[in-house]
Amino acid sequence: MTSMGKTRRMMSVGLVGAALALTLAAPARAGETPTAAHDRRATPKDTAATASRHDGGTDTTATTNLREPEAEATGVGWQLTPTGTDARFRGLAAVDRRTAWAAGSRGTVLRTTDGGRSWRNVSPPGAAELEFRDVEAFDARRAVVLAIGEGEASRVLRTEDGGATWTESFRNTDPRAFYDCMTFFDRRHGLAMSDPVDGKYRILSTRDGGRSWQVLPSAGMPDALPGEAGFAASGQCLVSAGPRDVWLATGGGATARVLHSGDRGLTWTATVTPVPAGDLARGVFGLAFRDRAHGIAVGGDYRKDQPSPQAAAVTGDGGRTWRASATPPPAYRSGVAWLPHSRSAALAVGPTGTDLTTDGGNTWRTVDTGSYDTVDCTPDGSCWASGEKGRIAVAPRR
């Protein structure tokens, strides 16, 4: 049986007004027809097209005119940007209000340094067969991207010159491993995670900014549940806060769990969340922690014809306990991010819309109906979202 496929924290003074506007804004029209995200167990191994296996259907339609009136402003303040591609971007790293990186299908990597007014295609040469699902960027020149897949399809590449050249720093040689997400604690220390191998999640570690990687010992990792794995849906199934704390989101098993490590991945504890599971398509898809104690989990059932009750949960003790949101998002959500410097406001995104919470994740309200897979925000007050059909949007600092 195949393994299952598959933040940053976001309130500067400039975004306080934006958050208040979100609570009052009516949902905007969707820019495009949403497409449900698919995990990689939704289709057999012998499916012909890699893009179809991992993106919930191959997007063959060129991007629409991203300067249409309905795309200029939405309830959340999203402004779609002209990417010039129809790739699906599940990987997103927002550096500041001017600089962001996006990584997606068909080996596509884009970078902007002018706030999204233009995007430069900086895809690694020969990467068209790879599926990039996560990107971690340190600045406008240095970034690390993760390609997912079984065996050698899982790779890590790094650039130090804005994408002009790339170096492959890791290629998985174990056919049982399938890497999903990665996170960095700082510019040097980072982790990547694979679905269970021999019954335990595999953790990859770097101490030199992604130039080299080593598999960590599995002795401190709890056993995985039968059928359990991670989702490479938004680059947020593995997230960190501070210098040593990291959390791992799971689904597909009898319960949806979040695993926590306080020592950079050497030892872990697992906690059950109230997010529904019990099916290969259900679980926790994305996590966001604003500090080492306060976190939000989002997920549900990615299938568009299935309901997703209790699609969000919150913790105030670092993930030792989780409680369901009193008013969760109305549908499956794959990405989540705190507004910058906020103790109570966050955004969650998915194929059917964007939701806002202003009470730390307890209640959510849909503020936009456009399709996005992931969301990220920056300390200087900008928020970014990306998803299918080349969609990358920015809610600029105000």
Side-chain angles (χ1 to χ4, degrees), residues 1-6 36-57 88 90 133 148 150 178 195 227 229-232 252 279-282 285 301-306 332:
M1 180 169 56
T2 319
S3 300
M4 133 173 21
K6 328 303 166 244
H38 278 50
D39 72 11
R40 49 191 175 80
R41 279 201 288 209
T43 309
K45 283 185 180 180
D46 58 357
T47 301
T50 300
S52 179
R53 287 172 56 202
H54 296 289
D55 292 344
R88 186 166 196 164
R90 296 185 187 268
R133 292 296 178 90
I148 69 158
E150 295 170 343
F178 189 122
D195 287 342
F231 292 98
D279 186 278
L280 299 182
R282 298 178 191 151
F285 283 72
D301 191 319
Y302 72 80
R303 295 169 296 192
K304 62 182 179 181
D305 60 341
Q306 296 296 315
Y332 156 75

Side-chain angles (χ1 to χ4, degrees), residues 4 6 37 231 233-234 236-237 249-252 256-258 273-277 279-288 296-303 306-314 322 324-325 328-337 347-353 355 364 372-373:
M4 133 173 21
K6 328 303 166 244
F231 292 98
S234 61
Q236 296 179 344
C237 60
T250 79
R257 304 192 299 171
V258 172
T273 77
V275 175
D279 186 278
L280 299 182
R282 298 178 191 151
V284 177
F285 283 72
L287 296 168
I296 297 173
V298 298
D301 191 319
Y302 72 80
R303 295 169 296 192
Q306 296 296 315
S308 289
Q310 297 181 329
V314 298
W322 293 84
S325 297
Y332 156 75
R333 296 293 182 254
S334 54
V336 59
L347 296 172
V349 300
T352 61
D355 303 297
W364 297 83
Y372 298 103
D373 293 314

Side-chain angles (χ1 to χ4, degrees), residues 7-8 91-93 95 101 103 134-139 142-146 157 181-185 191 235-236 238-240 376:
T7 173
R8 277 180 163 79
L92 178 65
V95 177
W101 299 69
D134 202 352
V135 56
E136 300 290 329
F138 308 116
D139 50 42
R142 292 176 292 178
V144 182
V145 296
L146 173 71
L157 292 84
C181 296
M182 63 180 174
T183 188
F184 275 80
F185 303 94
L191 301 176
Q236 296 179 344
L238 187 72
V239 303
S240 56
D376 197 9

Side-chain angles (χ1 to χ4, degrees), residues 11-72:
M11 174 166 204
S12 68
V13 174
L15 268 181
V16 172
L20 292 176
L22 293 178
T23 64
L24 300 175
R29 292 180 295 165
E32 297 174 21
T33 302
T35 300
H38 278 50
D39 72 11
R40 49 191 175 80
R41 279 201 288 209
T43 309
K45 283 185 180 180
D46 58 357
T47 301
T50 300
S52 179
R53 287 172 56 202
H54 296 289
D55 292 344
T58 304
D59 293 327
T60 57
T61 306
T63 49
T64 59
N65 180 359
L66 298 182
R67 300 192 183 280
E68 295 172 349
E70 67 181 8
E72 285 300 321

